[in-house]
Each structure stands twice: as C-alpha cells, then as structure tokens.
Amino acid sequence: MIDQRETICALATPPGTAGLAVVRVSGAEALSICGRLFKGRGALSDAAAHTIHYGWWGDGIDSVTASVFRAPHSYTGEDVVEIGCHGGPFVVDQIIDSLTSAGARVAEAGEFTRRAFLNSKLDLTQVEAVADVIHAQTRAGAQTAARQLAGGFTRRLSELRQTLLTALGYLEVELDFSEEGYEFVSRPAFLETLRQATVDATRLAASAQSAHILRSGFYCAVVGYPNAGKSSLFNALLGRPRAIVSHIAGTTRDYLEESLVEDGYTIHLYDTAGLRSTEDTIELLGIQVTSSLIEQSNLVLVVNDASLGFRHSDALIADIQSRYPTVPIAVVQNKSDLSGTGVLASELGNIAQIPTIALSEQGVSELRAYIAAICRESTAAIHDVLINQRQAHLLRVLIGHLEGASGALAREESPDLIAIDLRSAVRVLGEITGETWNPDLLDTVFSRFCIGK
Ligand SMILES: Nc1nc2c(ncn2[C@@H]2O[C@H](COP(=O)(O)OP(=O)(O)OP(=O)(O)O)[C@@H](O)[C@H]2O)c(=O)[nH]1
Ligand SMILES: [Mg+2]
C-alpha cells in the first residue's frame, strides 16, 4: 500500500536528452523541501500560488524555474512544485537525488494522477482519458480523449444519475402514500427518460470497438495466396523495402508488422505468409498465426493475383467471410498490369476491389486513401468519449437495469419493485465514474500509466 501522505517527486517529461525537462514534486512538504534546495530571490515556501521563480538548484546543480501551485488548485490537489531544468539525464538525476535526500520519495507509476483522483480533481473516466491522451495512436483519438478529460462524459453520466435519483426520491414518496395510490412520477414521461438513457448507453457501449481504433490504431492484415504480391504491396504501402520479395512462392514464412500514419491514423500493417489451398479445402486453420491476425483486424486486405483472373481468390475470400463474418474485407486486384482489361468480378457482392500494380506502386496511394477512409468511417460516430472495456462492460450492466426498470414501469408494478433496478443503475453509474471504487480497480486503471504521470 503506497503512502498518500508522503511527498513524491518524479521526472514528468520523457527521459533522455532534451532542451528542457520538468521534475514534478507533490505533497504537503513540496514547498518546504523545494524551498530548502532552491536559491532564488525570495523563499519558495512563501511564494504565492501560480507563480514562477527563477534561481539555482542545490549546490550549483542547474539554473531552474520553479512553478508553484498551492492546494487545492493544482493537478494533484496538493501543494505542487514543477521544476523546469535543462533536459540532460545527469541534471535530472541530481535534482531527483537532492529531493529524495531532502525527504521526498520517488513517485510510483501514475501516482500523481492517482492523487488527483483521490482528491476529487478528476473522476475515473477522466483518469482513463489522461492515459488515452498520452497514448493515443490517432489524432482523432487524442482529440476525443481531451474532450473526455474536459468532463463531457462525466456530466452526461451525472445528469442521468441525477434524473434517476430524483425519480427514486418520488417513488419513495409514493410508497409512503401507497394507501392513497398517488403517483408522483409521471409514468409515460419517466418511461421516455429511461428509453432515451438506454439508447444513449447502448450507443456508447457499441462504440468501444471504434474507440479502440482511436486509442490504439487501426489493424490491417495483408493476406492472400502465395506469390500474389502481398510483400510487394506491404513495401509499397510503407514506402520502403521492408519485406523480402521474390518470385518463389512461400517467400514470407512469418508475419511482419510495421506502422504507417495516414490522415492522422496510425495503421498497423501485417504482411503474412501465403495461404495455400489444397484439393478443395483451404489450409487456413493450419496457419494459426494468420488466422488470429485476421480475427484482430479492423480490415483484411485479400491480395489477389489478377494475372490469374479477378476471381482467382474467391474461395479464399468466401472462407475468410464464413470464419470471420464481422471482419471487413477488401480485395486488392494486384498485378493488374498482367490482367488485361477485364471487368472486376461483380459476384464478390459489395466487397470493395482496388486494382494495383505493387511493382510500380500504381494504385497504392488510392489503397492508402481507401484504408484511411475505412478508419474514418469506423470511428465517425465517436465525438466526446473513448469507451474502454471496463466502461463498456459496466454500460451493459447499466442497460440491463434500465430495461428492468422500464419493464416494471410498463407492467405498472409497485414503486418498490421499480426502485430496485433504479438503485442498481445508480450504483453502476457510480462505478463508471469511480464514485465507488476499490484499490484493485485503481491498480488496473493505473497500470497503463508511467512514472511522472
Ligand atoms: N507484374 C507484376 N509483378 C508483381 C506485382 N507485384 C508483385 N509482383 C511480383 O510477384 C512476385 C511475388 O511477389 P511477393 O511480394 O514476394 O509476393 P507474396 O505474396 O509476398 O509471396 P509469398 O510471401 O511467397 O506468399 C515477385 O516476383 C514480384 O516482383 C505486380 O503488380 N505486377
Ligand atoms: Mg511475401
């Protein structure tokens, strides 16, 4: 168990060489500890909140600026000093050493944000947004997380919570007057409120997968029969010769992963070993790795060797579709320089087909634009919240209780029966925002943080 009362310190900027680095100190002793080490014009311990001071640190370690924040108006809600120093590892080490000798302790990963949460500066959805802002792999992800951090999600949840609590209050009054049969809660209006809340929660829970794209990037596997030109296409998409290409079928044995950024989206691209077909069954099962890559993909590009016919990979496509019905597929008609001017197969239904010549990079920028368009489409519905797995699970539990309450209302059940589900719904809302929490939950949430955050 970490001690909340100790004053903590850590490098808040990335380690290494840089123009500047910031060491953050937080806790009741922050000003007195820093005051002993900082030599400026006045005493740091007397400094007003939100002021910056210039001076020397320790016995000539570095010239620094010290930014002073006083509780509760700081990131952690405690007294905070942010020391801006030159960004060399030796300078930073000496400053941290001087702080620990003076009585501070090196912070655990995420401990500053943990304190902000425990001091009610941030709720749990905002804490999760901090991690998302830091780690987001897409521009839209970082922007959305920033909006979530600003508290939009929290406000929506607490409005719903307030509505449910008000209804609960009235239902309890109804119970007191049960003999008289008064109804203080208008049944149709409340049913409508619950319906709207259920729709909202369902939409949010369903956005978890798209939120994952904004948070971690878009996963795209390049698959197909041997020699179709997968590695050539992989290289062309990356813009550099990363994978080995040869005319021998079976060149790629293992998979390769590389990332590219297109239109603000990080795309994780996988080159895979060719999938062979035997007499009539395709050895997809045997190629476990490719299977699991396909399963985790947001888009699968099936590369077809168009010189063997536009429909040459149809059996493979049908197989992937039947095994992974929810994974989006597009067909890349590669080697279209050798294909003649046939019409692209229409039997592939509404699967998109993109003609390319990987060798000369023809059609490759169109393919890149197509992938970015799919990223945009799959995340278009997301505006101000990046739902994660924890929240999605709790939202589904919430939906269950909201539906339970609606059902009881519709069946004109007694107020106490309706109240049971409403109370559970209120409790789940509290779990989402972290009003009710336990140390295990915090450990899980903060496991994504690094030291200094
Ligand atoms: N004419 C032509 N040849 C191509 C094109 N794309 C790839 N090739 C050639 O096709 C052969 C196979 O290319 P690779 O990229 O190694 O194919 P692969 O699908 O990765 O093959 P495996 O890893 O063995 O499954 C090479 O000789 C490439 O030069 C294309 O658009 N047109
Ligand atoms: Mg290959």
Side-chain angles (χ1 to χ4, degrees):
M1 196 60 201
I2 46 180
D3 193 338
Q4 288 299 324
R5 286 158 309 185
E6 287 176 307
T7 293
I8 52 174
C9 64
L11 177 66
T13 44
T17 313
L20 282 178
V22 173
V23 175
R24 184 144 63 178
V25 188
S26 179
E29 303 292 315
L31 284 163
S32 63
I33 291 175
C34 292
R36 272 178 269 146
L37 295 161
F38 176 83
K39 295 175 181 68
R41 242 199 255 157
L44 212 55
S45 43
D46 298 332
H50 297 94
T51 54
I52 301 181
H53 308 266
Y54 174 75
W56 277 89
W57 194 265
D59 294 325
I61 293 177
D62 192 13
S63 57
V64 300
T65 56
S67 308
V68 173
F69 305 85
R70 286 186 181 269
H73 303 295
S74 72
Y75 181 68
T76 57
E78 304 172 329
D79 282 349
V80 169
V81 178
E82 287 180 3
I83 306 154
C85 59
H86 293 100
F90 296 109
V91 174
V92 170
D93 279 354
Q94 288 181 79
I95 291 179
I96 301 232
D97 282 349
S98 67
L99 286 165
T100 53
S101 309
R105 160 171 74 72
V106 174
E108 307 270 330
E111 198 173 354
F112 291 100
T113 309
R114 186 187 283 255
R115 289 187 176 195
F117 169 73
L118 293 172
N119 291 326
S120 305
K121 300 295 289 187
L122 301 172
D123 78 0
L124 209 51
T125 67
Q126 290 171 309
V127 165
E128 289 168 313
V130 171
D132 285 339
V133 170
I134 295 171
H135 297 291
Q137 292 287 315
T138 61
R139 185 169 54 212
Q143 288 166 349
T144 311
R147 284 194 286 273
Q148 180 171 330
L149 181 55
F153 187 33
T154 307
R155 261 193 303 284
R156 262 155 69 187
L157 293 176
S158 57
E159 272 167 27
L160 175 58
R161 187 165 182 273
Q162 204 45 56
T163 310
L164 298 182
L165 280 173
T166 309
L168 259 174
Y170 283 124
L171 287 174
E172 266 150 30
V173 179
E174 282 185 14
L175 270 177
D176 292 342
F177 291 88
S178 52
E179 306 283 277
E180 291 86 344
Y182 287 136
E183 280 192 0
F184 292 94
V185 179
S186 147
R187 297 303 192 253
F190 193 47
L191 255 178
E192 177 52 26
T193 306
L194 290 178
R195 193 195 60 80
Q196 192 53 51
T198 311
V199 169
D200 267 3
T202 308
R203 198 176 49 76
L204 280 171
S207 73
Q209 201 190 350
S210 323
H212 187 260
I213 297 174
L214 291 186
R215 192 180 294 118
S216 311
F218 189 84
Y219 288 81
C220 178
V222 180
V223 307
Y225 289 135
N227 234 17
K230 299 178 294 301
S231 299
S232 308
L233 197 71
F234 180 76
N235 290 342
L237 282 168
L238 290 177
R240 62 196 162 91
R242 170 70 180 84
I244 298 172
V245 168
S246 90
H247 65 280
I248 303 160
T251 305
T252 309
R253 297 292 174 85
D254 202 351
Y255 73 90
L256 297 176
E257 182 197 348
E258 288 294 334
S259 301
L260 66 135
V261 176
E262 180 72 19
D263 199 16
Y265 297 96
T266 298
I267 297 160
H268 305 286
L269 203 62
Y270 292 88
D271 182 21
T272 63
L275 301 165
R276 281 166 208 273
S277 66
T278 56
E279 292 251 307
D280 50 351
T281 45
I282 296 141
E283 285 179 351
L284 199 60
L285 263 186
I287 310 183
Q288 292 291 349
V289 177
T290 306
S291 297
S292 76
L293 285 178
I294 291 176
E295 200 167 11
Q296 292 162 29
S297 287
N298 302 112
L299 173 68
V300 172
L301 293 179
V302 179
V303 182
N304 177 51
D305 183 341
S307 70
L308 302 173
F310 291 123
R311 316 263 335 253
H312 179 65
S313 305
D314 279 15
L316 176 63
I317 294 164
D319 194 52
I320 297 177
Q321 275 185 317
S322 71
R323 278 179 212 276
Y324 310 102
T326 58
V327 179
I329 298 179
V331 180
V332 179
Q333 298 287 4
N334 191 41
K335 305 196 189 181
S336 54
D337 52 323
L338 305 176
S339 68
T341 49
V343 190
L344 296 189
S346 56
E347 283 80 354
L348 287 172
N350 41 19
I351 297 182
Q353 299 185 63
I354 302 117
T356 61
I357 306 171
L359 271 188
S360 60
E361 303 202 351
Q362 223 163 299
V364 170
S365 59
E366 286 81 356
L367 179 58
R368 235 187 259 132
Y370 173 79
I371 301 174
I374 299 291
C375 289
R376 212 174 308 119
E377 255 173 51
S378 0
T379 56
I382 295 191
H383 300 296
D384 52 1
V385 192
L386 285 185
I387 293 296
N388 59 31
Q389 289 307 322
R390 182 190 78 86
Q391 296 160 350
H393 164 72
L394 290 173
L395 282 168
R396 284 190 286 269
V397 178
L398 174 69
I399 292 163
H401 292 306
L402 292 175
E403 286 172 346
S406 306
L409 264 176
R411 290 190 304 273
E412 302 188 3
E413 305 264 13
S414 72
D416 48 344
L417 271 176
I418 304 166
I420 293 174
D421 270 314
L422 287 187
R423 265 186 225 110
S424 304
V426 168
R427 183 178 40 78
V428 176
L429 283 169
E431 281 178 49
I432 299 176
T433 57
E435 255 158 90
T436 42
W437 57 271
N438 60 54
D440 284 349
L441 170 64
L442 290 198
D443 287 345
T444 315
V445 169
F446 284 102
S447 65
R448 283 186 69 211
F449 280 72
C450 38
I451 291 178
K453 300 297 174 304

